[in-house]
Structure formats: structure tokens, C-alpha cells
């Protein structure tokens, strides 16, 4: 039985609590911790966690006599590294919400703590555990569509003006950035996973077009170039009505995507596409896609199942701390390119002025000043986590 503590009982914690409660024979929630203990008490009552102890400080929790095997960190990004490192120094495994940390130095310190203490560090990237994305990765690995030539990732969300009224949102210090960091993190992780490498060159444009109560961007466009000459682009937004998240891969033989779609063109002698395309290949790709074994659990549920399995079997989870760092590194390069209005080269090394969160903040423009805030929202509202296509 794996004993679980959840630190941070804001909106996203519900996804963690729901997922953990799917596996009562494998894990038990023994502690809930929040600087606002009434939020922890509310979650305790809502989820029927009668035996869970409530703490208002994670140090108190870790210093108690309570047996804790795994800590889920669901706090604002600026606190991830401190809580994770303290937990790992106490010999506790960690599953931390995205982004892993606002800065690469913090990511490296977290990885060092994992290694030093012989524990497991994993980072949430639940979209890998959506069946359309899972199957897309399997299809790419099959080689049936050929080499990826270009990738297009849309992280399109709508967040009203009041979204940034919350005290920690919309600040470089506490949130670490806007949708480039906190929303597109999912699509960027998927690109890194599918491509299997980071790009060499990064170019970005950043803007704040609709949220004058936020220092950070609410819209960005980025382009990447890889060592093999292929390219990718990412749009990150919290101003898009209708929302929509997708990964589109233009491959040598076909275009494949999540949500699932496929088009396979073939050329005429004059270079123009044949009407109707390559129906034979489209049929083959559709059949291969449909035969891929679907995931039993998706999104947070799927990642929690994976982490529990890793701890039970002494293996590594699908999403490691190294994966979390790679995503932060690419996002850091996107910010550097946008701030400096030029193409930047990767990797971001410890000598780089953007290696630390403080270094990034020193360079960051304030699109607007955040002059007022509120402590908490009502937590009765629906919190959407996106749609990469229906499970199939």
C-alpha cells in the first residue's frame, strides 16, 4: 500500500484526488496540506477522506510521524522546487504538477535531489495518456507515415479577464509566465516525446492582447528548427474563443494528427496532388491506428496509474524529471527568443543568463502591472483540461 500526501488543494488537486481514489487497493491518501487549511478540510469532506490528516505547512507534514511514500505537488509553479526537494530529502517520492519549475536551475536541483536520495521524481504531463496522443506516438514509431517533416501544435484556450485576478497568476515571479509555460507545456512535452529531441533553433513572438491585469504574455507564436532540418511551430494562447488543442504532423507519406485525422496525398507528374489521394495508405494507417491497444486509464488517472506501477515494480515512470526539465528548457528558449526578438540557439547552459528563474525575470517585459488581486476563487466552478480528441 502506497501512502500519499497531496500538497496544494486548489482546482487541479481534484484531478489527483479522483485518480488516486480509483486505486483503493494500491494507495491511501493519508495527508492533505495547504497554506489555507480550510481548503484541505473542504477536500477531506468532499472526497470522504476521513483518515487523512490536514496540515498547513509541508515541512510540518514531512516532519510528522506520518508514513508518506509519495507526495503530489499541486501548488503554484514558484513553489514546486522547494516542496519537491524537501520531500525527496525526507526520502519521499514526488509527482509534481506542470511545469516542473519556472527555471532550469531549479529543475537541475530537483534532479540532483532525486539522484542523491534514491527516490523517484515524475512530472505531470497527462496528455501523453490520452488515447489519441498515445496512438499517434505509436503510429509515428511504426514508420508507416514516414519521417516527420513539420509539426504544428496548437494550445488554444480561453481565459476571461478575471482569470488573472488570482494573487499568484499573471506574475513572472509566482506563475513563471503565461500560456507559453502554463498551457502549451502539454503540447511541447508531446512534441519532445514524439520527436525524441530538442530543436537547435528557436524563434518566438510574445504579446498580451486582452489581460491588462497580468504582467505576462497571453499569446505567443514560436517556430523551431531541428538538427535534421525539420521544423515545428507552436501557438500558445488564452484568448482563443472555442479553444482547441491539437498536434498535426506532416510526414513524408501522410498528415496524421491528434485529434485523429489523416490525409495521404500522392503526386501527379506535374507535382500537383492526385484527386482522392492515396486511399490505400489511408486505409492501412487507419487500420493500424484502430488496432493499437487503448489505454485503460486516461489523463491524470492514467499517469497516476503509471507512477503507482513504477513504485510497485521498482521501474521508472513514463514521464521522468528529465522529461520535465526538457520541456522547461525549450520554453525558456522560447521566452529568451521572444524577449530578445531574435532566434536563439539551444541548449540553455548554466552560464546562460536565462538559466535561473531570477535571470529570466530580470529579462522579462511587464506587458502590464498587476496592481490588485484576490486570495481565492470559488472552487465550485468547472475546470476544463482541454480536448485532444475523444477516446477511441
Amino acid at each position: 500500500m502506497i501512502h500519499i500526501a497531496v500538497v496544494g488543494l486548489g482546482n487541479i488537486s481534484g484531478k489527483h484526488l479522483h485518480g488516486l481514489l480509483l486505486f483503493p487497493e494500491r494507495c491511501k491518501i493519508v495527508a492533505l496540506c495547504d497554506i489555507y487549511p480550510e481548503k484541505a478540510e473542504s477536500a477531506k469532506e468532499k472526497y470522504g477522506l476521513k483518515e487523512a490528516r490536514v496540515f498547513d505547512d509541508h515541512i510540518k507534514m514531512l516532519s510528522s510521524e506520518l508514513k508518506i511514500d509519495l507526495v503530489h505537488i499541486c501548488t503554484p509553479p514558484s513553489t514546486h522546487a522547494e516542496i519537491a526537494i524537501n520531500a525527496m530529502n525526507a526520502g519521499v517520492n514526488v509527482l509534481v504538477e506542470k511545469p516542473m519549475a519556472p527555471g532550469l536551475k531549479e529543475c537541475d536541483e530537483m534532479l540532483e535531489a532525486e539522484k542523491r536520495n534514491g527516490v523517484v521524481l515524475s512530472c505531470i504531463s497527462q496528455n501523453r495518456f490520452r488515447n489519441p496522443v498515445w496512438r499517434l506516438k505509436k503510429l509515428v514509431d511504426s514508420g508507416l507515415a514516414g519521417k516527420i517533416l513539420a509539426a504544428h501544435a496548437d494550445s488554444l484556450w480561453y481565459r476571461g479577464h478575471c482569470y488573472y485576478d488570482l494573487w499568484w497568476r499573471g506574475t513572472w515571479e509566482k506563475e513563471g509566465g503565461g500560456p507559453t509555460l502554463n498551457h502549451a507545456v502539454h503540447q511541447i512535452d508531446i512534441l519532445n516525446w514524439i520527436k525524441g529531441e530538442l530543436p537547435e533553433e528557436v524563434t518566438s513572438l510574445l504579446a498580451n492582447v486582452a489581460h491588462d491585469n497580468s504582467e505576462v504574455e497571453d499569446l505567443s507564436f514560436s517556430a523551431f528548427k531541428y538538427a535534421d532540418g525539420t521544423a515545428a511551430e507552436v501557438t500558445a494562447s488564452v484568448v482563443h474563443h472555442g479553444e482547441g488543442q491539437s498536434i498535426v504532423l506532416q510526414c513524408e507519406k501522410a498528415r496524421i494528427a491528434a485529434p485523429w485525422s489523416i490525409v495521404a496525398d500522392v503526386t501527379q507528374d506535374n507535382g500537383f496532388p492526385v484527386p482522392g489521394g492515396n486511399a490505400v495508405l489511408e486505409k492501412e494507417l487507419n487500420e493500424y491506428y484502430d488496432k493499437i491497444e487503448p489505454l485503460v486509464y486516461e489523463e491524470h488517472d492514467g499517469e497516476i496509474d503509471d507512477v503507482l506501477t513504477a513504485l510497485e515494480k521498482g521501474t521508472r515512470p513514463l514521464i521522468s524529471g528529465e522529461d520535465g526539465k526538457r520541456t522547461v528548457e525549450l520554453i525558456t528558449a522560447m521566452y529568451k527568443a521572444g524577449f530578445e526578438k531574435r532566434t536563439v540557439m539551444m541548449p540553455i547552459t548554466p552560464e546562460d543568463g536565462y538559466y535561473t528563474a531570477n535571470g529570466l525575470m530580470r529579462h522579462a517585459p511587464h506587458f502590464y502591472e498587476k496592481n490588485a488581486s484576490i486570495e481565492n476563487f470559488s472552487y465550485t466552478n468547472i475546470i476544463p483540461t482541454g480536448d485532444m480528441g475523444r477516446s477511441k
Side-chain angles (χ1 to χ4, degrees):
M1 179 67 69
I2 298 172
H3 293 74
I4 309 286
V6 178
V7 180
L9 276 302
N11 285 322
I12 200 61
S13 67
K15 297 289 185 180
H16 291 251
L17 294 169
H18 175 273
L20 290 165
L21 290 172
L22 290 176
F23 309 105
E25 304 304 317
R26 302 169 64 190
C27 66
K28 179 180 180 181
I29 301 168
V30 298
L32 301 171
C33 178
D34 198 288
I35 59 173
Y36 301 103
E38 64 273 14
K39 290 164 67 174
E41 292 286 0
S42 177
K44 179 176 178 177
E45 180 179 356
K46 178 179 178 179
Y47 291 95
L49 304 173
K50 296 180 180 179
E51 297 181 34
R53 287 180 57 184
V54 168
F55 296 86
D56 63 1
D57 181 271
H58 78 279
I59 295 293
K60 294 178 185 177
M61 181 189 76
L62 294 169
S63 301
S64 72
E65 76 288 354
L66 202 59
K67 175 177 168 34
I68 300 172
D69 302 305
L70 174 65
V71 167
H72 287 230
I73 300 174
C74 306
T75 56
S78 62
T79 65
H80 286 181
E82 178 187 2
I83 298 171
I85 291 169
N86 287 338
M88 289 186 284
N89 285 343
V92 179
N93 303 293
V94 168
L95 176 58
V96 61
E97 259 295 340
K98 58 77 184 172
M100 182 168 154
L104 286 170
K105 182 175 185 290
E106 293 167 304
C107 290
D108 281 337
E109 290 170 347
M110 293 164 76
L111 290 171
E112 196 278 329
E114 176 190 31
K115 182 178 180 180
R116 182 178 67 248
N117 294 292
V119 293
V120 170
L121 169 64
S122 183
C123 185
I124 286 290
S125 191
Q126 77 274 8
N127 281 355
R128 287 200 203 182
F129 292 89
R130 292 179 186 264
N131 272 312
V133 174
W134 181 263
R135 287 174 158 176
L136 184 67
K137 166 67 171 168
K138 296 283 189 183
L139 188 54
V140 169
D141 290 347
S142 76
L144 290 174
K147 174 187 174 183
I148 297 172
L149 303 178
H152 311 264
D154 278 341
S155 177
L156 312 181
W157 304 78
Y158 174 81
R159 295 293 182 265
H161 188 272
C162 58
Y163 177 77
Y164 285 107
D165 287 346
L166 195 60
W167 64 274
W168 57 271
R169 286 193 187 136
T171 66
W172 291 108
E173 180 183 4
K174 298 298 183 184
E175 194 176 15
T180 310
L181 176 69
N182 293 295
H183 293 77
V185 60
H186 296 296
Q187 281 69 30
I188 292 166
D189 171 77
I190 293 168
L191 278 181
N192 289 344
W193 184 42
I194 289 177
K195 195 76 175 74
E197 61 181 332
L198 290 172
E200 288 188 330
E201 301 178 18
V202 177
T203 304
S204 295
L205 181 151
L206 309 172
N208 183 321
V209 297
H211 297 87
D212 63 6
N213 56 344
S214 166
E215 301 170 0
V216 302
E217 87 287 354
D218 59 13
L219 177 66
S220 72
F221 305 97
S222 300
F224 314 144
K225 185 177 180 182
Y226 293 85
D228 63 0
T230 60
E233 63 176 3
V234 174
T235 301
S237 170
V238 286
V239 302
H240 273 64
H241 295 272
E243 303 194 326
Q245 295 80 48
S246 65
I247 300 287
V248 178
L249 305 175
Q250 299 288 354
C251 302
E252 291 175 297
K253 301 177 183 178
R255 184 201 75 191
I256 53 178
W260 176 242
S261 68
I262 176 176
V263 176
D265 282 320
V266 61
T267 185
Q268 301 181 62
D269 291 341
N270 62 2
F272 288 84
V274 173
N278 189 339
V280 173
L281 179 58
E282 289 181 7
K283 182 175 182 294
E284 181 183 6
L285 289 168
N286 271 314
E287 289 176 348
Y288 188 95
Y289 181 91
D290 288 338
K291 287 178 181 177
I292 296 170
E293 189 72 22
L295 296 164
V296 176
Y297 301 103
E298 292 190 82
E299 300 183 58
H300 279 80
D301 301 344
E303 184 159 358
I304 288 168
D305 174 46
D306 178 71
V307 171
L308 293 177
T309 299
L311 296 180
E312 291 161 348
K313 296 184 176 181
T315 57
R316 299 291 295 172
L318 175 65
I319 302 167
S320 66
E322 287 85 357
D323 291 323
K325 180 196 169 181
R326 276 190 287 271
T327 299
V328 172
E329 183 174 3
L330 181 47
I331 292 168
T332 300
M334 293 161 72
Y335 277 136
K336 181 178 180 179
F339 296 169
E340 298 189 359
K341 303 183 188 306
R342 66 180 181 88
T343 297
V344 303
M345 306 300 293
M346 295 191 71
I348 304 294
T349 65
E351 296 74 35
D352 195 291
Y354 289 80
Y355 175 68
T356 67
N358 285 336
L360 188 147
M361 280 193 293
R362 283 195 298 271
H363 291 88
H366 284 212
F367 291 96
Y368 295 96
E369 295 301 329
K370 187 178 176 77
N371 295 316
S373 63
I374 61 174
E375 281 199 61
N376 285 304
F377 286 132
S378 166
Y379 288 93
T380 59
N381 296 323
I382 296 171
I383 307 300
T385 56
D387 181 13
M388 292 285 287
R390 294 178 299 173
S391 178
K392 179 181 177 185

